[in-house]
Amino acid sequence: MSDTKIGITLFTLRDFVKTSKDIADTLKKVKAIGYEHIQLSALGDIDAKELADMIHSEELHVCATHVGFDRLQDELDAVIEEHRLWGCKNIAIPSMPRPYWDMDGGFSKFAEEASEVALNLQAAGMTLSYHNHHTELIHVGDRIGLNILIEDSDPALCFEIDTYWIQYGGGDPTVWIAKVKDRCPIIHFKDLAVVGREQVMAEIGEGNMNWPGIVTSCEAANAQWYVVEQDTCAGDPFDSAAISCRNMQAMGL
């Protein structure tokens, strides 16, 4: 396995991973672009063993996945076995389920319950992270929601800081990455550009994000993987994935 930290989440290519054939074709294209590490997300229905065989045949490494919180609570043993098949140690929750947003003390409650899952995964040799959007920067009383999740959770719970959503929400990615030092195996790299009057997602290095500062912050926080996630692309998502890969390599990553 290469020592590169660069990966890509298949969520970026979600329209091309709906069937087994789609997935096989997309894995080949991802490898040809130059990625060696992938995050599994938004895949169509596929047997875990079949998927493992596809991944291994392309000599790709699964650095992380996204798994819904309900499944982590209800089917944790099955999730662990799947990840062992894939050779993956890092699992992330893509977002906080709606019920927690609607209840008083929901951020603290989620921090407590996610910590329980994180501790169980830690015992199995795996990590659990939480992936933020801009909405976690909401003020809840005199605290910010994402701070509540960080401060009220067990250190076993990690955080998959998404650089774009932090910036979009008015935060500084370097500051938030520093807050989760040693608790951030995966960082989502996503650039922000201004088109007309709108803030939009862009390929890494094609927007206005402070990448030298972000990379330095990631290194100081001991992040292990820099995973490209571009939810929306102006053109072909594979072209966007290739641009991000080239630009990250040019940064020396």
Side-chain angles (χ1 to χ4, degrees):
M1 184 177 68
S2 166
D3 62 358
T4 177
K5 291 187 171 187
I6 301 172
I8 186 168
T9 171
L10 297 184
F11 182 75
T12 299
L13 307 167
R14 60 194 177 279
D15 291 336
F16 305 92
V17 290
K18 294 182 178 180
T19 68
S20 292
K21 183 179 183 306
D22 290 342
I23 295 167
D25 290 345
T26 292
L27 293 179
K28 288 181 185 298
K29 290 179 181 179
V30 164
K31 185 63 182 286
I33 287 170
Y35 290 100
E36 297 186 11
H37 310 287
I38 58 173
Q39 180 171 24
L40 300 180
S41 178
L43 274 68
D45 189 32
I46 185 171
D47 177 75
K49 178 62 167 61
E50 181 184 5
L51 178 58
D53 290 342
M54 289 181 183
I55 292 164
H56 297 151
S57 70
E58 295 300 330
E59 297 184 338
L60 289 165
H61 170 246
V62 182
C63 60
T65 64
H66 269 180
V67 178
F69 190 53
D70 288 349
R71 186 157 189 251
L72 288 168
Q73 289 184 304
D74 299 338
E75 304 175 27
L76 189 60
D77 288 344
V79 170
I80 289 170
E81 288 308 307
E82 289 169 356
H83 284 71
R84 286 177 174 157
L85 270 177
W86 301 329
C88 177
K89 295 184 177 181
N90 301 302
I91 300 169
I93 304 163
S95 61
M96 189 167 70
R98 186 73 218 185
Y100 295 96
W101 291 92
D102 295 335
M103 71 173 72
D104 289 339
F107 277 89
S108 290
K109 179 67 171 174
F110 179 77
E112 175 188 349
E113 295 186 1
S115 293
E116 293 176 11
V117 177
L119 286 164
N120 287 329
L121 283 171
Q122 186 179 71
M126 298 178 182
T127 70
L128 179 65
S129 298
Y130 178 77
H131 172 269
N132 68 275
H133 294 83
H134 64 294
T135 44
E136 286 84 358
L137 298 186
I138 187 174
H139 283 261
V140 183
D142 60 355
R143 302 170 76 190
I144 293 174
L146 188 52
N147 267 335
I148 296 173
L149 295 179
I150 295 168
E151 295 165 2
D152 291 6
S153 60
D154 189 277
L157 181 65
C158 298
F159 290 85
E160 188 180 70
I161 296 297
D162 186 299
T163 55
Y164 173 95
W165 287 121
I166 292 291
Q167 187 91 22
Y168 186 90
D172 181 341
T174 66
V175 170
W176 286 95
I177 292 167
K179 286 176 182 279
V180 293
K181 181 179 180 181
D182 297 323
R183 297 175 69 181
C184 54
I186 308 292
I187 300 292
H188 269 189
F189 274 34
K190 186 182 295 179
D191 213 337
L192 184 152
V194 178
V195 177
R197 297 187 177 187
E198 301 295 324
Q199 295 183 134
V200 300
M201 296 177 187
E203 296 80 8
I204 308 305
E206 301 297 314
N208 300 318
M209 303 281 283
N210 173 22
W211 290 111
I214 290 170
V215 171
T216 297
S217 186
C218 286
E219 291 171 344
N222 298 316
Q224 298 170 31
W225 307 101
Y226 308 151
V227 175
V228 174
E229 183 184 50
Q230 189 173 344
D231 306 24
T232 58
C233 304
D236 186 328
F238 288 100
D239 290 342
S240 290
I243 292 168
S244 288
C245 187
R246 288 197 302 269
N247 287 351
M248 292 172 72
Q249 289 170 341
M251 294 177 190
L253 301 178

